[in-house]
Amino acid sequence: MGAKSGLALKALQWFVRGVQLLSCVVVLALFSYFLAVASRNGIHIPIWARAVEGISGAGVAYTLAGLLLLCCVAGHPFASAIAIILDIAFVGAFIYVAQANRVGATSCRNTVNTVFGNRPASDSPGHGLPTFQRICLIQKAVLAVSIIAIGFFLISAFVEVILIRHRRKEHRFGPSPANNYTSGYGKRGGFFSRFRRRKGSEEEAINPNALPEHTHPEHVNASYNLDSTTNGHYNKYGESGFQHDGQTAYPDRTSYTSTGQEYGYAR
């Protein structure tokens, strides 16, 4: 169970990191195109557009490293803690990207405010360049991809927490008969099993019809053991042959008096 669940968690995180990587690549490619067009045609580019390109480039580097290191350090407390911090940081970064491209939330008609300025939708920033309406639609795509990236960065942070807990659980329990001495941890009875066990123990504690436990050999008093009879002789008066007051426990019946009568008896 432990090995299979760990593999499933790694596969899930691999998928999440892959979606993040594709989202960052899309944003980086589109804004690199904007910067290249502006550089060739002498168009002013605002600082926020350069910031968006930098954020998407850093996201590509981070998610690519996360994909490569996932098979090696998945669930490691130090690496996962850094990953969680960076995931939360990229959530904030892509919120900024989405806010910067909020023009994509409009209908992209009439007058539009794009990365190349505020102009009518049918105009073009230069000869051979797309119209402002087309540029607005590109920013609409960037807005959608940014929202997807925000969601998947939140998911990856949550999965990292689960990977840490899974790794600690494997180290706590380790190989055992419950997992065929392989890895992971044993099977648990589920949520309702704890109530069944608790109910059974309470019923045993208050059951008035419960019989007392029978005596075990180790509970028998040592004075009753028969080791002293192993030689075939048993003295009912004890080993000393005396009563508690010091008198002889039994008389010597082999002696006779001078009158020929047995001691204590008449012929």
Side-chain angles (χ1 to χ4, degrees), residues 31-234:
F31 269 79
S32 296
Y33 167 75
F34 288 155
L35 292 177
V37 168
S39 178
R40 287 197 306 264
N41 294 273
I43 302 175
H44 173 71
I45 289 293
I47 296 177
W48 65 263
R50 300 180 187 273
V52 168
E53 186 187 32
I55 290 171
S56 58
V60 169
Y62 166 63
T63 53
L64 184 60
L67 282 172
L68 296 177
L69 296 177
L70 186 59
C71 59
C72 304
V73 294
H76 193 279
F78 180 73
S80 294
I82 294 177
I84 292 171
I85 294 172
L86 291 176
D87 286 337
I88 300 301
F90 275 104
V91 168
F94 274 92
I95 289 176
Y96 172 79
V97 173
Q99 188 274 337
N101 291 275
R102 62 187 180 276
V103 64
T106 64
S107 61
C108 294
R109 296 176 181 177
N110 301 323
T111 302
V112 292
N113 186 13
T114 67
V115 66
F116 292 141
N118 190 4
R119 299 284 294 275
S122 58
D123 289 355
S124 175
H127 180 69
L129 298 179
T131 62
F132 282 93
Q133 185 180 21
R134 182 70 59 84
I135 296 172
C136 178
L137 292 174
I138 293 175
Q139 290 189 253
K140 186 186 290 288
V142 172
L143 175 63
V145 170
S146 300
I147 295 174
I148 293 173
I150 291 169
F152 275 87
F153 274 113
L154 288 173
I155 294 173
S156 63
F158 180 69
V159 175
E160 287 291 344
V161 174
I162 299 177
L163 283 170
I164 293 174
R165 296 186 63 182
H166 179 267
R167 181 184 177 91
R168 287 180 177 175
K169 190 176 293 185
E170 279 193 330
H171 280 272
R172 184 182 300 120
F173 295 99
S176 68
N179 51 42
N180 296 326
Y181 296 97
T182 54
S183 63
Y185 42 91
K187 296 181 179 179
R188 304 180 65 179
F191 178 77
F192 294 100
S193 62
R194 67 186 69 181
F195 297 103
R196 289 196 296 268
R197 290 195 298 269
R198 186 180 304 170
K199 181 179 178 181
S201 60
E202 291 177 355
E203 287 179 351
E204 291 177 359
I206 63 176
N207 187 6
N209 298 322
L211 296 175
E213 186 180 5
H214 66 276
T215 305
H216 295 278
E218 60 269 15
H219 297 159
V220 179
N221 195 318
S223 63
Y224 291 100
N225 76 41
L226 304 178
D227 290 343
S228 61
T229 64
T230 54
N231 56 5
H233 173 71
Y234 173 69

Side-chain angles (χ1 to χ4, degrees), residues 256-262 267:
Y256 298 92
T257 61
S258 59
T259 58
Q261 295 179 350
E262 186 179 357
R267 288 184 181 271

Side-chain angles (χ1 to χ4, degrees), residues 233 235-252:
H233 173 71
N235 186 358
K236 68 178 180 178
Y237 298 103
E239 295 181 356
S240 63
F242 292 93
Q243 296 178 351
H244 67 278
D245 55 356
Q247 299 178 358
T248 303
Y250 54 92
D252 185 5

